[in-house]
Amino acid sequence: MSYKAPRGTHDVLPSEAPTWQFVEHTFQSLVELYGYGEIRTPVFEESDLFIRSSGDTSDIVTKQMYRFQDQSERDLCLKPEGTAPAIRAYLEHNLGTISEVSRLWYATPIFRYERPQKGRYRQAHQVGLELIGSTSSQADAEVIEITLALYRRLGIERLNLKINSIGRAATRAAYREAILAHAQCYLADLDDEAQARALKNPLRLLDSKDPKAIEAMASAPSILDFLESESRQRFDELQSILARRGLAAEVDSSIVRGLDYYTDTVFEVSSPDLGAQSALCGGGRYDNLIQEMGGPSTPSVGVAMGIERAIMAIEATAQPKPTSHITVFVANISEDLFPLAEKIALDLRAKGISAQFDLDNRKFKNQIKLADKLGADFTAVVGETEAAAGEVTLKDMQAREQSTVPQHQLAEVIGAKLAKR
Ligand code: AMP
């Protein structure tokens, strides 16, 4: 019997891991500049957390949850997104009492029963931010700015930032009626279930993937014409902050986002190099979510960025891929010098330099082949003469030079050579 990773999941192999680490480390060092602290939440949560927060008409809740009962018949699910768990933890641990504004970041797998295709998985991975406790448009701008800065640091230059405002309850209620009136003909052709879903949340029609819905909604009224003055003002303010910071944004009133919890600002960044699954990230303001989850009214804004999509976009650029390799391979010319090679490698590791030797103590020729395969920067060779003199022959594979180095100075010499590169 041969096993495969479950449909819609994928392994990250050692050859691919450096790019993942590059994305994760770049994200972490960027958000630390802004004072974000990491939050790690469980892989599974109570199902109700997502039903309440994402909305019971969202695709995530109606079709995509990995939902199960444990032995005690608790209704649980693998987390389909990162915001609701982060907010649950924020409330559970009273983080709001520590400081008025909280800045949280996370890196997490998400689980959605999607139709798998290139760039769309059932277990995908996201890094995200939640900026909790500020009503200011500066907060929206901060989250958007970090998002764009991340992609730029990753070498992804071709980006489209689209922003929209979906206003507050009154706007949504008025717009709902307008959308339903506009979509009447299209709705008449739908089956009962799809009709009921559309009636429950007509905004979803705007980001429906159904070609007929896309056609019907192309001429739909714009939600921007329904904004109350406060939302209008907030949206204008956001645009002027982005302009001041030189961040190009396109206003696109078809961006509504799939989750119920958004208010006012919503945004997406996409890449023209990604094909069908072009969304790199999505986010927005969610001023009512914390209250709906039982906390005090707390304005917040956040973003979730797909790691797989970022990697696809990195791969679409011509930049060299990060690779992992070892620094030193220690080779022994004769079989009986194996313990010495082993000792030298262990000493190097203890001094913080990555080193390997041939576990199988094979012929010298094979050891050198292995060093090559591992992409070692240096090979340290021990033969009888070197062993007797307490030295090694150090070959710099890049510079194609060699020198004789006392064994006890090997780490320092290598360190100095690396520092010069
Ligand atoms: P969302 O939580 O749906 O707003 O998604 C935010 C970002 O996560 C998207 O823009 C994608 O980059 C990524 N993403 C979401 N779902 C998936 C998935 N099933 N497979 C791969 N990436 C995903």
Side-chain angles (χ1 to χ4, degrees), residues 51-66:
I51 298 171
R52 174 96 75 92
S53 57
S54 299
D56 56 6
T57 60
S58 63
D59 278 358
I60 282 185
V61 168
T62 54
K63 303 184 206 153
Q64 298 180 338
M65 287 220 291
Y66 276 90

Side-chain angles (χ1 to χ4, degrees), residues 110 112 114 119-121 124 126 257 279-282 304 306 309:
I110 56 158
R112 298 181 188 173
E114 304 246 28
R120 199 202 279 160
Y121 301 95
Q126 293 180 337
R257 314 278 307 128
L280 284 168
C281 72
R309 303 275 172 90

Side-chain angles (χ1 to χ4, degrees), residues 8 10 60 64 80-83 106 110-127 151 257-259 261-262 267-270 274 277-283 303-310 312:
H10 62 91
I60 282 185
Q64 298 180 338
E81 58 106 29
T83 296
Y106 61 79
I110 56 158
F111 304 87
R112 298 181 188 173
Y113 193 76
E114 304 246 28
R115 203 158 39 80
Q117 54 177 271
K118 189 170 161 45
R120 199 202 279 160
Y121 301 95
R122 290 181 173 170
Q123 176 177 339
H125 300 80
Q126 293 180 337
V127 286
Y151 294 125
R257 314 278 307 128
L259 309 176
Y261 52 61
Y262 288 108
F267 68 92
E268 284 179 9
V269 178
S270 61
L274 286 191
Q277 303 302 315
S278 65
L280 284 168
C281 72
V303 62
M305 313 177 217
I307 299 183
E308 285 86 352
R309 303 275 172 90
M312 282 165 66

Side-chain angles (χ1 to χ4, degrees), residues 328-329 377-383 385-386 389-407 409-418 420-421:
V328 191
F329 188 90
D377 293 320
F378 300 93
T379 310
V381 178
V382 277
T385 330
E386 288 97 338
E391 293 171 335
V392 299
T393 300
L394 183 66
K395 297 188 180 195
D396 182 330
M397 310 309 272
Q398 200 183 52
R400 298 190 174 280
E401 311 168 336
Q402 71 177 53
S403 52
T404 308
V405 179
Q407 283 165 24
Q409 283 177 5
L410 187 57
E412 289 70 31
V413 171
I414 289 171
K417 281 180 183 283
L418 286 175
K420 275 201 222 141
R421 285 195 176 165

Side-chain angles (χ1 to χ4, degrees), residues 190-211:
L190 295 182
D191 64 37
D192 289 352
E193 200 193 319
Q195 249 183 36
R197 231 187 3 252
L199 284 174
K200 225 168 161 188
N201 194 342
L203 254 67
R204 295 260 147 71
L205 292 170
L206 289 173
D207 57 10
S208 165
K209 303 282 180 293
D210 174 8

